[in-house]
Amino acid sequence: CSVALSDEPIRAAVPPAVELGLTIVYTILYSLLFLFVYLQLWLILHYGHKRFSYQSVFLFLCLLWSALRTTLFSFYFKNVVQANQLHHLPYWLLYCFPVCLQFFTLCLLNLYFAQIMFKANAKYCPELNKYKVPIRLALIFSSLFFLVVNLTCAMLVQGGIVGEAEVRQVVLARVLVNDSLFVLCAVSLAVCIFKIAKMSSANVYLESKVLDRPQSVI
């Protein structure tokens, strides 16, 4: 079938009132998330927990992600054009880096639950400890590879290094790498959680970790 060409300008998919309402809702949600995570980090500092732990790193990643998203959506009230014409570094921080933070968080969850699985099996299968270092190196390498790919693609597209014909290929390569790594990490996390759910020793270990915290923090 043929497609008729028209000189009419492309219109927005949603009415301006709906777009403004969604912008307000998302900005409020991201702001509330930022305040909630900030409060959790302050409680960790106040009650003397370990400052460098899985919990603190996870919360810091969430805090940074919500701060970047709140900043980006705040542009959409009056400075939409400015948000699309940022310099290379601000553009990458607001549009690309939040995706990297999401992947870092997923890798951190994989590492945490893998550690729980190893500790729960320490008495029954001590030979599993030899996989600790390879898993940590694999997750670190995956995070660095994810960061390098996204940073390189952003520099190629925003810096005008490649032509318009190559932009689509660069974006496609970035999407394939991102989606593949996300799926692999999600599958590995699901496997870890499934195995932990069937291990009574893992449940005992998790309960002991919760009981060790002060009641005022829970």
Side-chain angles (χ1 to χ4, degrees), residues 9-31:
I10 299 176
R11 298 180 180 179
V14 295
V18 177
E19 183 178 350
L20 178 60
L22 291 175
T23 302
I24 294 174
V25 170
Y26 279 112
T27 305
I28 292 175
L29 290 177
Y30 291 137
S31 301

Side-chain angles (χ1 to χ4, degrees), residues 30-55:
Y30 291 137
S31 301
L32 291 177
L33 178 61
F34 177 86
L35 294 176
F36 176 77
V37 176
Y38 179 80
L39 177 62
Q40 295 297 314
L41 287 172
W42 185 86
L43 289 175
I44 291 176
L45 181 64
H46 178 73
Y47 288 105
H49 288 286
K50 290 178 62 177
R51 297 184 181 182
F52 187 74
S53 61
Y54 286 103
Q55 181 184 12

